[in-house]
Amino acid sequence: MSLSVLPPPPTAPRAESAPRRVARHLVDTSARAGILSRPLLERFPLRRWVPSEVHTLLDYRAGVAAVVAGHLSEDGTARRAGWALGASLVGITLLTDARLSVSKLIPIEVHELFDYVHGAAAVLAPFALGYAKRHPLTAAAHVLLGLSSLAVALVTDYRCQTGMHLGGEHLTDPEGIGA
């Protein structure tokens, strides 16, 4: 007489928790994560390890921080510079062809170029507009935001969602950017 062992009954897969789903979504580099942007200068020497979504969230944070820093200043020039820096960053981020944007009107490569121009402008604005000595805290905030924007832009794995690129569309998803 032989005893057969039956396998346990199948169990339903457990639902993935929201934080775990968001974390998985942020580190996803598959085709589902978006279409890779073209490397800056055709071959960029740095490894791109910051996900595009994290970069987008940092852009929103930096834009709001630039406005707040300018608004806290008593100087009209610093206030206007803060509004210009913050509103332009949030505005272009909202319109970029990325996962966490409202409308996909601006190619991801244009956003990348804007990141470098915006970072440099934030660093130079206090000195060019003359509020660095009058309001050093606002100037320091703008310079730090500019430097952090430049640093993050250098290591962001830029990906678009619709395939819109400078010079036309391409719908391939090559391997991740890296050196």
Side-chain angles (χ1 to χ4, degrees):
M1 171 157 87
S2 83
L3 295 173
S4 66
V5 178
L6 296 174
T11 59
R14 290 181 17 180
E16 188 175 30
S17 67
R20 182 172 217 141
R21 186 174 49 252
V22 169
R24 184 176 43 79
H25 178 74
L26 289 176
V27 298
D28 185 8
T29 58
S30 68
R32 186 176 55 235
I35 300 162
L36 201 59
S37 73
R38 294 183 180 138
L40 185 67
L41 303 175
E42 297 304 321
R43 181 158 191 240
F44 198 74
L46 295 178
R47 173 128 176 85
R48 303 292 188 112
W49 55 271
V50 174
S52 188
E53 292 80 12
V54 172
H55 177 96
T56 302
L57 293 173
L58 291 174
D59 276 351
Y60 289 134
R61 177 209 44 97
V64 170
V67 170
V68 169
H71 187 68
L72 293 176
S73 172
E74 297 171 2
D75 184 55
T77 304
R79 189 173 295 129
R80 285 188 297 276
W83 274 100
L85 291 168
S88 63
L89 183 57
V90 170
I92 198 165
T93 303
L94 286 170
L95 300 176
T96 296
D97 181 17
R99 230 192 276 196
L100 299 178
S101 67
V102 174
S103 181
K104 313 230 184 296
L105 300 174
I106 299 170
I108 196 73
E109 290 93 353
V110 172
H111 181 94
E112 182 178 7
L113 291 173
F114 176 82
D115 282 338
Y116 296 118
V117 170
H118 181 270
V123 169
L124 297 175
F127 307 103
L129 299 176
Y131 63 91
K133 288 186 180 179
R134 292 190 309 265
H135 293 281
L137 290 177
T138 301
H142 287 169
V143 168
L144 289 174
L145 287 169
L147 291 174
S148 68
S149 292
L150 288 169
V152 170
L154 287 171
V155 293
T156 295
D157 185 7
Y158 289 95
R159 291 178 182 262
C160 66
Q161 295 300 298
T162 66
M164 177 178 30
H165 290 279
L166 286 176
E169 294 187 11
H170 64 96
L171 298 175
T172 59
D173 185 27
E175 296 299 316
I177 296 176

